[in-house]
């Protein structure tokens, strides 16, 4: 597969990027980011682009791929107001999905949502994410990911307290509902993309179950 990762410097996108570089299912991983992403891998093609609301200047990055992953976002505590948060979590994702539909009509669009996304939630971020899910599924058959706390090597874009929170979660809440290692999220994303899935919402327990299956396969001795 050839995939495109938007937001490859954050916890989810960075974990996916790292796993894609070593996955036998991936022949090319493209990244679209505001700054250069260093990599020694021949499978990586990096594109720099600052405007998250207009991808027309880098339309070629969306061409000839099998799946695109929109992992761009920031913690709601780091965004000034609902309008700014909606621009990143909703409008930016929709613009990226439209660009993908033009450049690679057969490709799947994957959207990083979050555990607790709900139209009925009292939390603004959860309502915005749920609205984005609904629209992206209706218009683009998107696959939406709702991980819990992501224990990842890359944490750009997260609030300062996030690393400490994750260290606590490792010991107190290592449950399948609330916690996932970044590498396992990446494994699950690649595995689901390989099935050409559409119009799905994956919660944290299912994400971990898929990752378990992939890791078991990785440990199995190869025939011959």
């Amino acid at each position: 597969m050839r995939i495109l990762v938007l937001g490859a410097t954050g916890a989810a996108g960075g974990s996916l990027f790292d796993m894609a570089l070593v996955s036998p299912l991936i022949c090319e991983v493209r990244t679209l980011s505001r700054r250069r992403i260093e990599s020694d891998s021949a499978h990586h093609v990096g594109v720099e682009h600052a405007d998250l609301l207009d991808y027309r200047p880098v339309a070629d990055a969306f061409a000839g791929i099998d799946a695109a992953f929109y992992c761009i976002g920031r913690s709601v505590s780091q965004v000034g107001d609902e309008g700014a948060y909606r621009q990143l979590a909703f409008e930016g994702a929709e613009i990226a999905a439209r660009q993908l539909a033009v450049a690679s009509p057969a490709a799947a669009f994957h959207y990083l949502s979050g555990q607790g996304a709900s139209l009925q939630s009292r939390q603004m971020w959860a309502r915005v994410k749920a609205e984005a899910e609904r629209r992206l599924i209706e218009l683009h058959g998107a696959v939406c990911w709702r991980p819990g706390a992501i224990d990842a090597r890359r944490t750009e874009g997260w609030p300062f307290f996030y690393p400490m929170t994750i260290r606590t979660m490792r010991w107190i809440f290592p449950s399948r509902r609330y916690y996932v290692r970044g590498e396992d999220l990446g494994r699950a994303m690649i595995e689901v993309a390989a099935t050409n899935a559409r119009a799905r919402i994956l919660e944290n327990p299912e994400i971990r179950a898929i990752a378990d299956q992939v890791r078991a396969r990785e440990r199995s001795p190869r025939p011959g």
Side-chain angles (χ1 to χ4, degrees), residues 56-74:
R56 289 173 296 180
V58 288
D60 287 350
F62 290 79
I65 61 173
D66 300 294
F69 295 81
Y70 187 88
C71 301
I72 294 173
R74 286 188 174 274

Side-chain angles (χ1 to χ4, degrees), residues 109-119 129-138 141-147 192 197-207 210:
F109 188 80
H110 293 249
Y111 174 69
L112 180 68
S113 183
Q115 186 180 67
S118 170
L119 295 171
K129 288 281 192 178
E131 288 179 41
E133 287 178 351
R134 181 173 63 179
R135 187 166 183 84
L136 291 168
I137 289 173
E138 288 177 354
V143 177
C144 300
W145 296 83
R146 291 181 179 177
V192 171
R198 295 290 195 280
R200 289 185 62 185
I201 295 178
L202 293 101
E203 301 280 1
N204 203 73
E206 184 177 7
I207 293 170
I210 295 169

Side-chain angles (χ1 to χ4, degrees), residues 41-166:
S41 174
H43 297 298
H44 175 222
V45 177
V47 178
E48 295 177 63
H49 181 63
D51 190 348
L52 302 181
L53 299 178
D54 184 5
Y55 294 108
R56 289 173 296 180
V58 288
D60 287 350
F62 290 79
I65 61 173
D66 300 294
F69 295 81
Y70 187 88
C71 301
I72 294 173
R74 286 188 174 274
S75 166
V76 68
S77 65
Q78 296 177 296
V79 179
D81 54 32
E82 181 171 348
Y85 187 81
R86 180 176 292 272
Q87 192 173 68
L88 276 179
F90 191 128
E91 296 171 18
E94 187 175 17
I95 291 169
R98 289 202 301 265
Q99 186 65 60
L100 180 67
V102 171
S104 295
F109 188 80
H110 293 249
Y111 174 69
L112 180 68
S113 183
Q115 186 180 67
S118 170
L119 295 171
Q120 288 74 44
S121 178
R122 294 182 179 181
Q123 297 180 291
M124 176 271 288
W125 76 265
R127 294 194 303 272
V128 172
K129 288 281 192 178
E131 288 179 41
E133 287 178 351
R134 181 173 63 179
R135 187 166 183 84
L136 291 168
I137 289 173
E138 288 177 354
L139 297 183
H140 304 285
V143 177
C144 300
W145 296 83
R146 291 181 179 177
I150 305 171
D151 190 351
R153 181 171 65 87
R154 302 172 192 262
T155 57
E156 182 176 301
W158 289 103
F160 71 93
F161 57 81
Y162 189 76
M164 181 176 63
T165 300
I166 282 295

Side-chain angles (χ1 to χ4, degrees), residues 16-26 29 41 43 190 218:
L16 170 60
F17 173 63
D18 290 339
M19 295 307 296
L21 291 180
V22 298
S23 171
L25 298 177
I26 304 296
V29 53
S41 174
H43 297 298
I190 293 168
E218 291 171 348

